[in-house]
Amino acid sequence: MKYVFVTGGVMSGLGKGVTAASIGRILKSHGLDVTAVKVDPYLNIDPGTMSPYQHGEVYVLKDGSEVDLDLGNYERFLNVELTGDHNITTGKVYRSVIERERAGDYLGKTVQIIPHVTDEIKSEIRSAVEDEADVAIVEIGGTVGDIESMPYLEAIRQMRNELPPEDFLLVHVTLVPVLSVVGEQKTKPTQHSVSELRETGLAPDVIVGRCNARLEEETKEKIALFCDVTVEAVWSAHDVEEIYEVPLVLNEEGALEYLERRLDLSLDEDLSGWAEMVESVKGAEEELRVAVVGKYVQLEDSYHSIVESLKHAGAVCGASLEILWVDAERIEGTLSGEDEYDYEEILEEADGVLVPGGFGSRGSGGKIEAIRYARESGKPFLGLCLGFQLAVIEFARNVLGLDGAHSTELEPGTPEPVIDVLPEQAEVDDMGGTMRLGDQRTIVMPGSLANDLYGSSEVVERHRHRYEVNPRYIAQLEIAGMKFTGKDETARRMEILELEGHPFFVGTQYHPEFTSRPGKPNPVFLGFVSALGG
Ligand code: GLN
């Protein structure tokens, strides 16, 4: 097993995850098995309890683990399926050290960061990737110099001594700002962050410079000289239009030759398949617009997998998708007269409406209003998880005439609880990792639109919810035209809904955005995007 560690310098948000995934993609396209691990130095066990404002989207894996969105980047770039062990957090590391201490496993020793915490980190990294691949990409979240990341850097330093030199590589991703007055690429922040890395006893093998323009030769030479790497080991990761281009950019920078030599690999095959996929994403001609109605529209990272899934489907349909972000809270404000937000104009401009998942009542009225618009106007609609539940509420209110219809999550005392807590969830008090999560099987009704889309009568998709369609209302909803064409194996749990007589009105209780891949879009997204073209 060869390890490629990826650290970050200067500041967060540089796209370190995409860089890490891209290095993995280069190696994978050349015939190696590649896996990836993300280390998040926060004390939460997982990001499942965090607001998307804190950390972007919570990504869900097939095993039901709620993990950092970078695991989505790894799954999409590497076309692999990962498990919860591939997201190591300080919360998990400390929990296991403390549990072992309580169990008496440390045999009377004082339990310390070094060696006990660092040993735990090393063993969690190793056991996540062991026997799984030829190369493991291990990305350390945060920025070098943070107190939180110290134990991880120390663990990597120890691993460097434990591994043969050709099995260890350290890539440091930094920012190269351009001073706008003179247009000069500045290397000082990189120099400082490398010297901070050196204080931990580590030295980078490769420096990836994030910059808005391609790094000039002179900039690379300066970084090489001051940071003690060779010029071939300074790679430009300048801004590109499309994130899937990054492996191609790094390849042009000589990443492949460098990795081959440094890791003592002999690589065959090539990136041409990937390049074709990038071409299909970038070369799409038809322009289509999707209104995404959400609560976190200022922060696109909150809906990262949805944006990617639309892109994957667009590429297959020859369409490039523009997303019109619609602020659900402002729709609400407008309905109550406190705001003036011409949401109808945006919805009209859009070729279709997508309402993503979410929690809590803020903005839900605005999402319901957007669903009403899509249902009545005949524009293609896709509702995911909360979006599926709100479509049921909208229909119950405006078609069945159940004015008070609501979800008990959003209004606990509602007289018409069309969405209610899953029976097995009623007694659950802990918030972390307790929802109905991960892969679950859905039986798809023959002859339905869903059956057409999937071309199969059984599908497995990833879930993350605590509420569901209340079985008491199903007969009424179906008689009025809302058909549940996907159900779980017991037929008690509604998974897919479709609206009779509407060109494309589909909701899923699950999250199809987590299984969409470049070149292989999820069928639900493909159906939705195909419908946008009319
Ligand atoms: N809040 C809803 C539930 O728990 C929907 C969750 C979601 O959209 N992921 O069921």
Side-chain angles (χ1 to χ4, degrees):
M1 172 68 71
K2 295 184 185 288
Y3 289 88
V4 176
F5 291 95
V6 180
T7 56
V10 185
M11 64 180 211
S12 63
L14 289 179
K16 191 153 40 88
V18 169
T19 306
S22 297
I23 294 173
R25 170 36 67 181
I26 293 175
L27 295 169
K28 175 132 188 178
S29 284
H30 290 85
L32 295 175
D33 270 339
V34 181
T35 187
V37 171
K38 173 80 191 281
V39 171
D40 281 306
Y42 47 64
L43 279 158
N44 304 60
I45 298 287
D46 63 42
T49 53
M50 276 190 249
S51 150
Y53 275 128
Q54 297 278 308
H55 227 260
E57 145 189 292
V58 175
Y59 192 78
V60 182
L61 299 174
K62 61 189 250 157
D63 69 359
S65 302
E66 301 169 273
V67 295
D68 184 77
L69 61 77
D70 275 326
L71 276 88
N73 285 325
Y74 304 157
E75 288 205 338
R76 286 185 286 265
F77 275 78
L78 301 175
N79 192 22
V80 288
E81 288 191 309
L82 301 171
T83 60
D85 298 342
H86 294 250
N87 194 183
I88 297 170
T89 64
T90 301
K92 288 182 187 168
V93 169
Y94 275 62
R95 178 173 65 183
S96 102
V97 169
I98 290 168
E99 277 170 6
R100 289 181 57 195
E101 184 276 331
R102 290 290 81 182
D105 287 355
Y106 292 110
L107 308 174
K109 296 217 174 70
T110 306
V111 182
Q112 296 180 295
I113 304 278
I114 307 174
H116 304 102
V117 168
T118 48
D119 280 352
E120 177 63 26
I121 292 169
K122 289 189 288 180
S123 108
E124 288 194 16
I125 293 175
R126 286 208 162 97
S127 69
V129 300
E130 231 165 39
D131 306 325
E132 221 177 53
D134 306 313
V135 181
I137 311 284
V138 183
E139 179 194 348
I140 313 298
T143 308
V144 168
D146 296 346
I147 292 181
E148 282 90 345
S149 21
M150 294 293 186
Y152 296 99
L153 297 175
E154 169 59 17
I156 298 177
R157 193 195 60 75
Q158 293 173 19
M159 280 181 84
R160 187 193 53 193
N161 290 335
E162 293 159 15
L163 290 164
E166 68 277 14
D167 289 353
F168 177 98
L169 185 78
L170 179 60
V171 177
H172 190 57
V173 183
T174 79
L175 176 71
V176 179
V178 176
L179 216 54
S180 57
V181 207
V182 278
E184 192 190 341
Q185 299 181 338
K186 306 299 277 182
T187 64
K188 194 67 86 187
T190 300
Q191 295 177 38
H192 278 297
S193 99
V194 169
S195 81
E196 206 145 10
L197 187 60
R198 287 184 175 284
E199 276 174 37
T200 70
L202 284 166
D205 296 294
V206 172
I207 294 175
V208 176
R210 287 282 295 114
C211 186
N212 55 22
R214 188 184 286 274
L215 292 191
E216 285 153 19
E217 222 29 57
E218 205 182 307
T219 312
K220 288 190 183 176
E221 281 164 14
K222 202 160 172 192
I223 291 175
L225 180 64
F226 282 91
C227 303
D228 193 26
V229 294
T230 58
V231 183
E232 301 83 66
V234 183
W235 302 343
S236 172
H238 37 279
D239 290 352
V240 280
E241 179 190 329
E242 174 44 60
I243 56 168
Y244 297 118
E245 271 180 82
V246 178
L248 306 176
V249 168
L250 296 181
N251 220 26
E252 277 169 27
E253 291 291 296
L256 180 67
E257 295 75 24
Y258 180 88
L259 293 168
E260 202 166 14
R261 186 157 33 84
R262 178 59 181 70
L263 295 174
D264 192 19
L265 295 166
S266 75
L267 301 169
D268 44 24
E269 299 191 37
D270 61 46
L271 271 167
S272 58
W274 189 262
E276 263 169 49
M277 181 279 293
V278 172
E279 233 2 88
S280 70
V281 173
K282 287 180 66 187
E285 304 232 311
E286 191 181 5
E287 291 207 4
L288 295 171
R289 280 176 285 199
V290 182
V292 176
V293 188
K295 187 160 69 166
Y296 305 105
V297 290
Q298 297 83 348
L299 199 73
E300 292 183 20
D301 259 4
S302 309
Y303 302 114
H304 186 60
S305 293
I306 290 176
V307 175
E308 294 306 305
S309 302
L310 287 170
K311 198 192 286 175
H312 305 154
V316 169
C317 299
S320 85
L321 292 176
E322 188 192 344
I323 297 185
L324 309 176
W325 297 100
V326 182
D327 187 333
E329 286 186 81
R330 291 201 60 197
I331 301 184
E332 238 165 44
T334 305
L335 293 174
S336 66
E338 286 152 33
D339 196 349
E340 282 179 33
Y341 179 49
D342 201 350
Y343 64 90
E344 287 207 330
E345 189 181 306
I346 312 178
L347 295 176
E348 253 163 51
E349 218 183 299
D351 299 297
V353 178
L354 190 153
V355 178
F359 295 82
S361 65
R362 244 179 347 106
S364 60
K367 294 177 190 171
I368 291 174
E369 169 63 4
I371 296 169
R372 180 197 62 75
Y373 174 88
R375 182 177 56 76
E376 291 180 351
S377 66
K379 288 224 170 146
F381 167 77
L382 181 58
L384 308 177
C385 207
L386 182 66
F388 160 95
Q389 298 173 357
L390 296 175
V392 173
I393 295 172
E394 191 279 324
F395 192 82
R397 286 185 191 172
N398 300 328
V399 179
L400 294 184
L402 304 174
D403 289 344
H406 222 314
S407 158
T408 51
E409 175 192 8
L410 312 175
E411 195 186 304
T414 172
E416 304 285 1
V418 292
I419 303 295
D420 200 5
V421 72
L422 287 157
E424 68 273 25
Q425 288 278 331
E427 308 299 319
V428 173
D429 291 325
D430 274 354
M431 297 300 275
T434 55
M435 283 183 259
R436 180 169 182 248
L437 288 165
D439 272 3
Q440 310 281 348
R441 194 173 301 278
T442 294
I443 312 297
V444 184
M445 196 200 276
S448 63
L449 172 59
N451 191 199
D452 270 1
L453 297 178
Y454 279 105
S456 165
S457 57
E458 247 188 66
V459 297
V460 175
E461 293 277 13
R462 300 183 189 174
H463 291 64
R464 182 174 187 241
H465 67 122
R466 221 181 277 286
Y467 293 80
E468 67 164 342
V469 183
N470 186 340
R472 271 187 17 224
Y473 290 90
I474 290 166
Q476 282 181 73
L477 291 161
E478 294 215 303
I479 290 167
M482 178 166 271
K483 303 290 185 204
F484 294 96
T485 56
K487 299 179 184 173
D488 78 333
E489 285 152 309
T490 68
R492 267 207 81 249
R493 206 129 286 160
M494 301 305 110
E495 296 278 11
I496 306 175
L497 68 76
E498 295 174 20
L499 210 56
E500 249 176 17
H502 190 290
F504 190 98
F505 191 101
V506 174
T508 62
Q509 180 59 79
Y510 52 81
H511 293 270
E513 70 270 29
F514 296 138
T515 51
S516 186
R517 302 281 179 266
K520 200 172 176 298
N522 179 288
V524 173
F525 275 91
L526 189 56
F528 176 60
V529 171
S530 312
L532 297 176

